[in-house]
Structures are given as structure tokens and as C-alpha cells.
Amino acid sequence: MGDGSATLPWVGVAWPRNKTDLLDGLRETELPRMVYPKPELFKPPRTDVLTVTPWLAPIIWEGTFNLDILNEQFRQRNATVGLTVFAIKKYVVFLQTFLETAETYFMVGHRVKYYIFTDRPEDVPNINVKAGREIIVLKVQNYPRWQEISMRRMETISHYIQQRFVHEVDFLVCVDSDMRFNDHVGVEILTELFGTIHPAFYASGRRSFTYERRPESEAFIPRDVGDFYYMGSIFGGTVSGVYKLTKKCHEAIMADKKKNLEAVWQEESHLNRYFVCHKPTKVLSPEYMWDNYYGSPQFLRKKRFLAVPKNHVAIRSKRSSHLKS
């Protein structure tokens, strides 16, 4: 560009070549006076669980953050959060509960765009949302196999980031539709890149993780490698952070496909491989992805995001006697 600025290759944002100009353009903000308990250096709020990773990323649990402070900081950023959800085939039946509970618990008081990917836009329920929040329905292709639908999610998100999301939101949270919000899920999760600990493996050793173990797969993880087993049902971060993750995972999925390989848990396997090589800057505890099948362990003070009980065979089959086909 002839004005002394450089353009980032995919974002299209111009940055001054003179870094002093960047510093001069910074706007100083400060928090209003707030009253809250003083942090106690020798009295950590949680001693029953791990609250920080070896790479110094916080693990988000109830009791480890002050939401009032975080909300005020976030408001000063004037940011918007995008929530992507895929409702393909019969999974549209979950949208009513998903959206209604999201309006009650997800990013309350902040601007949100719900991006609904579906092959049945006419079946998306008409939900009244609060001011500053919007439902956007995006029609996508259906595939015969649910595994293929699952793997195409990474491709679709990375494509729409380039084409649309980068211009509309600052953060993306990517979740499954067969879920319901059950308690507060807010700005405490937002960061450059976050992953969520799987409720079935929070206490398991590496060798028990269901990583992809075939060396010929792009998702391969050796048995002596790995930190946590991350759930594919909820991940996110900044738009750029999610773009890099979804683009890399899609490329790895396509590379496997050329070798006639499919990772054991499709895109979740590739997500876990990505997090081995690119550590998330926050890790969400199982509070943020729980299934009541696993009961109510004492350490779990909140069940924020819950799996909805369902018949997997019926919901994924072409025909069902009790679900709309």
C-alpha cells in the first residue's frame, strides 16, 4: 500500500509501518471504582482442583474469577461474540431448547450473534432475543454420513470466518446443538484460544485418552504425549485464533482423506492434535461441558453446559418413528 501501511494477508486490516503510530493511537481506559474481596496470596480460592496449566494458562472453575470485574473489562472493549452451532438433519429439534437457554445464560448483557448452520432453515424456531443479540441462519450442505457432517464443521467455520465472521464479531464460541445451557457461561471463557476438558477423561491418564493412535494419520498422538482430552463440543477464542485452528484441522482431515483415513473421533481427534502442538491460552473445566451420566462429583460446583439426553441411533438415522424426518 502506498500510504506506508501493511495489510495482513487474510484479515484485510491495514497496520501502520511506523510502530510509534500504533502506540500513539492507543486509548487508555480504566475501571470504575469497584468493591470486592481482596485477593489473598496465601488463601487460593480453590485447592481441590488444578487451576493453572504448566504453560500458565488458567483453568476456569467456579470460584476462580470475579465476574463483575471481567464484565466491566469486556464492556470497555466494545466487542461482539459469535456463537456457531450446527443443526443438520434432525438435530434441528434441539435448537428451541438450545437458543432459549442461551438467551438465559450465555454472555448475558453482551452483544451476541447466533450463527445457525443448517440444511433446514425453514425448521429453525422463531426465538425472540434480547437487544443487541441476533439469530443468523446459514444454509449448508447435508451429507449422508454423520461422520462426514462432523468433519465438515472445521471447513465451514474457517470458510465463513474469511467471508463473514471477521467483519462481524471479535470472538467465536463453537458448540454442538444437542446441548443446553444450565448456568452462567460468560466472558470468563474468552481468550485467544480455549479448549474444554472432556467429562469422561478429567481424571484419566494419557494412555486412557481416546486420541488417534495410528501414526499414518495427521491426528496421531503418541501414548506418552498430551495434557488433557478436549471435547469437540465446545471450543473457541478470537476470530484469528479459531481461524488458525479450524483451517489447520480441515487441512489435516483432507490430508487423511487422501490416504483413505478417517480419525477415530473425526474432527475431535484433529482438535486434540492441534492442542498438543498449539496450547490453548485458557482451559475450561468440565463445568463447561458436562453430561449427567457422570453424576455430580463434589468438585463440580456448577454444571454450566449440559448434554441433552437422546437416542443417537434415532437422531442420526434417515427414518425415525418419533422424530421428524
Side-chain angles (χ1 to χ4, degrees), residues 158-262:
S158 62
H159 170 76
Y160 272 90
I161 287 175
Q162 285 186 300
Q163 298 298 316
R164 180 169 187 163
F165 299 162
V166 68
H167 307 294
E168 297 182 350
V169 296
D170 303 283
F171 295 91
L172 281 172
V173 178
C174 307
V175 301
D176 285 352
S177 60
D178 52 341
M179 307 290 298
R180 65 180 175 91
F181 291 89
N182 188 62
D183 210 313
H184 162 86
V185 176
V187 300
E188 74 279 357
I189 73 174
L190 299 178
T191 182
E192 177 67 17
L193 186 65
F194 72 80
T196 307
I197 296 173
H198 196 298
F201 297 102
Y202 62 83
S204 300
R206 287 170 173 161
R207 292 180 175 271
S208 298
F209 293 163
T210 53
Y211 290 153
E212 174 55 63
R213 300 300 189 184
R214 291 171 294 176
E216 59 270 29
S217 172
E218 298 294 318
F220 169 65
I221 300 174
R223 293 191 181 274
D224 59 348
V225 174
D227 305 297
F228 305 103
Y229 188 88
Y230 297 97
M231 189 79 173
S233 297
I234 172 170
F235 62 90
T238 62
V239 172
S240 61
V242 175
Y243 176 75
K244 287 183 283 188
L245 180 153
T246 54
K247 182 174 183 290
K248 181 69 174 178
C249 287
H250 170 60
E251 290 171 349
I253 290 168
M254 290 299 102
D256 269 6
K257 200 166 187 176
K258 288 180 180 178
K259 295 180 279 189
N260 292 318
L261 285 174
E262 184 177 284

Side-chain angles (χ1 to χ4, degrees), residues 300-319:
L300 198 74
R301 298 182 183 177
K302 299 278 189 178
K303 297 179 181 179
R304 302 179 187 275
F305 197 42
L306 282 171
V308 174
K310 59 187 174 296
N311 183 326
H312 287 277
V313 174
I315 203 71
R316 289 170 176 169
S317 66
K318 291 184 178 181
R319 293 188 176 274

Side-chain angles (χ1 to χ4, degrees), residues 72-98:
E72 188 59 40
Q73 290 176 321
F74 189 76
R75 274 190 282 270
Q76 294 192 11
R77 297 185 64 169
N78 196 32
T80 301
V81 180
L83 181 64
T84 72
V85 60
F86 285 73
I88 309 297
K89 297 184 179 180
K90 296 169 185 172
Y91 277 77
V92 294
V93 303
F94 298 110
L95 283 177
Q96 183 92 22
T97 296
F98 176 87

Side-chain angles (χ1 to χ4, degrees), residues 106-123:
F106 182 74
M107 300 291 162
V108 175
H110 301 294
R111 292 199 304 272
V112 172
K113 291 183 183 291
Y114 298 105
Y115 295 113
I116 312 295
F117 293 102
T118 183
D119 60 330
R120 297 181 176 184
E122 68 280 2
D123 291 337

